[in-house]
Amino acid sequence: MSLDVERIRKDFPIFEREVNGHPLVYLDSANTSQKPVQVLDVMRAHQERYNGNVSRSVHTLGTESTEAYEGARARIATFIGAASPDEVVFTKNSTEAINLAAYSLGQMLRLGPGDEVVISEMEHHSNLVPWQLLCERTGATLKWFGITDDGRLDESALDDLVSERTKIVSLVHMSNVLGTVNDVSRIAARSKAVGALLMLDCSQSVPHLPISVGSLGADLIAFTGHKMLGPTGIGVLWGRFDLLSQMPPFLAGGSMIETVTMGGTTFAAPPARFEAGTPPITEAIGLGAAVDYLTGLGMEAIHEHEQAITRYALDALSSVPDVRIFGPATIEGRGGTVSFGVDGVHPHDVGQILDALGVEVRVGHHCARPVCSRFSVPAMTRASFYLYTTTAEIDALARGLDQVRKVFG
Ligand SMILES: Cc1ncc(COP(=O)(O)O)c(C=O)c1O
């Protein structure tokens, strides 16, 4: 069933506003998405009507708050096809989820010299720097898959890269720069064969694609609430329960313990083991509401809409002279994030002219400097789409780029 985008847009109050005298054209959802009233209302109701701390109060407000918090966890678990809500660990964002995994797996596996961790050149810094630090701390070696000229993961050296020495493979599922959706099935099979754990950074895929952790082949995934209609301050680490059960804690404090004496501490079972301190309660409840909203529309329908918009955008952008698209040229194996350059114009100038026309895109290195280096540019301009994006907005982008070309001759 196709999306009724005009009706959907009415759920997002922000689309009523103008930017610099023009209707808002928001093409930066890969950076952060907008929020529907259904999410905003649920968060406000929590603060106004039943705010209380979770998992520690016997009073009514605490109980209601705990039920809403755990209810959100259960719905998020269903959304990603997890075997149980206990496989869903709330974190602050994807970055914290990946840092948690890097720290805890490093300890669990007693990573050291001779061990290898494999990532790719396509990573967001969030799935690169934590592994660099882990390798620096432990003496393990970091290796990576390259990127092909058409913006896909270069798997040609798979068997060399992922070997008996490999302990962890951590890859981006959908690139936040190139839009590439990595089919990780071969890498998952190889990782399993050599006994390495596979983590996927699903920050850009969970918001846009139907995802079932059962069929991904990963042991752990990370994603972040604010890119999927939820608030900032909430993210998720999903892990197989048997794996989470073996992982030591990352942060320590209240809520994550089983018993504490002055002589030592034992730790709660997952997910509590990894949720030290008062968690982002309202934010988790907001993410639960976002998942309800996405589920109501259907992830298949959302994906179909974005495929149509992306096809339209790829056509529109490739017909603007002097525009070079980075990443896959067709919609096969790619999502609704399109990065490009305009010959002879710095991306910051492109972004400024577009902003003057109300068109909001992101410019810069997109927290993925190695991707820019791979394509020999210091920065890129990126337009990214979501369930509320219209073809009229893509037309506004294309008109804006004509304006850029006029201004810069
Ligand atoms: C692929 C990818 N990974 C990780 C992140 C980090 O997300 P957060 O800043 O919410 O932790 C982002 C955000 O842009 C991303 O696109």
Side-chain angles (χ1 to χ4, degrees):
M1 217 184 75
S2 63
L3 294 187
D4 182 349
V5 176
E6 286 312 321
R7 194 200 58 70
I8 288 171
R9 287 174 70 85
K10 295 199 169 62
D11 291 335
F12 292 77
I14 206 161
F15 293 131
E16 288 162 17
R17 72 162 286 180
E18 295 196 334
V19 171
N20 298 321
H22 298 273
L24 167 65
V25 173
Y26 188 74
L27 300 178
D28 198 18
S29 290
N31 202 354
T32 199
S33 66
Q34 299 303 343
K35 328 293 170 201
V37 280
Q38 287 84 345
V39 169
L40 303 173
D41 287 351
V42 162
M43 293 177 70
R44 188 177 180 90
H46 175 244
Q47 287 291 315
E48 275 184 357
R49 309 292 308 159
Y50 60 102
N51 178 42
N53 210 337
V54 293
S55 313
R56 58 186 76 179
S57 320
V58 292
H59 58 63
T60 301
L61 296 189
T63 306
E64 288 179 4
S65 211
T66 303
E67 278 170 9
Y69 179 71
E70 293 303 332
R73 190 195 307 278
R75 297 203 305 289
I76 292 162
T78 304
F79 183 68
I80 57 167
S84 141
D86 291 341
E87 296 188 334
V88 170
V89 177
F90 284 129
T91 61
K92 186 174 67 178
N93 48 31
S94 287
T95 304
E96 188 181 270
I98 297 166
N99 276 274
L100 188 171
Y103 178 87
S104 180
L105 293 180
Q107 302 270 102
M108 183 189 93
L109 298 168
R110 298 183 201 285
L111 219 64
D115 293 333
E116 294 179 357
V117 175
V118 179
I119 59 170
S120 84
E121 202 180 9
M122 205 187 275
E123 303 309 319
H124 186 283
H125 297 160
S126 290
N127 195 37
L128 193 168
V129 184
W131 304 110
Q132 277 179 341
L133 291 180
L134 176 66
C135 288
E136 276 171 25
R137 270 199 315 272
T138 59
T141 303
L142 190 67
K143 296 195 156 181
W144 53 89
F145 289 95
I147 304 175
T148 62
D149 288 343
D150 60 348
R152 309 229 178 239
L153 211 57
D154 181 356
E155 292 181 46
S156 54
L158 171 61
D159 288 353
D160 286 338
L161 270 174
V162 180
S163 71
E164 274 66 26
R165 289 182 299 279
T166 310
K167 297 293 173 269
I168 304 165
V169 178
S170 188
L171 295 172
V172 68
H173 192 208
M174 173 177 152
S175 164
N176 62 310
V177 182
L178 305 169
T180 317
V181 177
N182 291 316
D183 173 358
V184 291
S185 49
R186 280 184 63 217
I187 297 175
R190 176 73 182 156
S191 303
K192 202 166 179 195
V194 299
L197 292 167
L198 175 64
M199 170 152 201
L200 291 180
D201 172 3
C202 294
S203 306
Q204 297 289 346
S205 57
V206 164
H208 301 280
L209 306 173
I211 295 285
S212 174
V213 287
S215 49
L216 267 183
D219 300 290
L220 296 160
I221 75 167
F223 56 98
T224 196
H226 67 98
K227 294 188 200 290
M228 50 189 290
L229 312 183
T232 52
I234 184 76
V236 168
L237 174 72
W238 166 85
R240 282 187 294 103
F241 190 77
D242 60 326
L243 173 60
L244 291 177
S245 302
Q246 296 167 55
M247 288 168 57
F250 172 48
L251 300 175
S255 303
M256 49 78 76
I257 55 91
E258 183 185 46
T259 61
V260 182
T261 67
M262 293 313 290
T265 297
T266 58
F267 304 110
R273 181 184 304 168
F274 303 107
E275 295 181 3
T278 300
I281 306 167
T282 311
E283 290 76 7
I285 294 171
L287 181 56
V291 158
D292 291 344
Y293 189 91
L294 292 169
T295 305
L297 294 175
M299 291 308 292
E300 285 289 353
I302 291 169
H303 177 53
E304 248 172 55
H305 169 70
E306 289 179 19
Q307 290 280 92
I309 288 289
T310 307
R311 186 184 290 117
Y312 190 88
L314 289 171
D315 285 349
L317 289 176
S318 45
S319 64
V320 180
D322 308 323
V323 165
R324 171 188 178 199
I325 294 172
F326 301 99
T330 63
I331 59 159
E332 279 68 45
R334 70 132 56 238
T337 287
V338 182
S339 292
F340 56 92
V342 182
D343 278 354
V345 189
H346 194 280
H348 284 98
D349 293 327
V350 175
Q352 250 170 16
I353 292 178
L354 291 176
D355 178 58
L357 299 168
V359 179
E360 313 290 281
V361 295
R362 181 164 175 199
V363 297
H365 54 65
H366 310 283
C367 298
R369 278 181 185 268
V371 179
C372 291
S373 306
R374 169 63 180 82
F375 291 96
S376 309
V377 290
M380 297 178 184
T381 305
R382 179 185 75 185
S384 54
F385 321 127
Y386 209 177
L387 47 87
Y388 38 61
T389 308
T390 64
T391 51
E393 291 181 306
I394 307 296
D395 294 340
L397 169 65
R399 279 197 306 277
L401 292 175
D402 284 337
Q403 182 67 15
V404 170
R405 292 181 57 250
K406 259 185 221 136
V407 170
F408 285 88

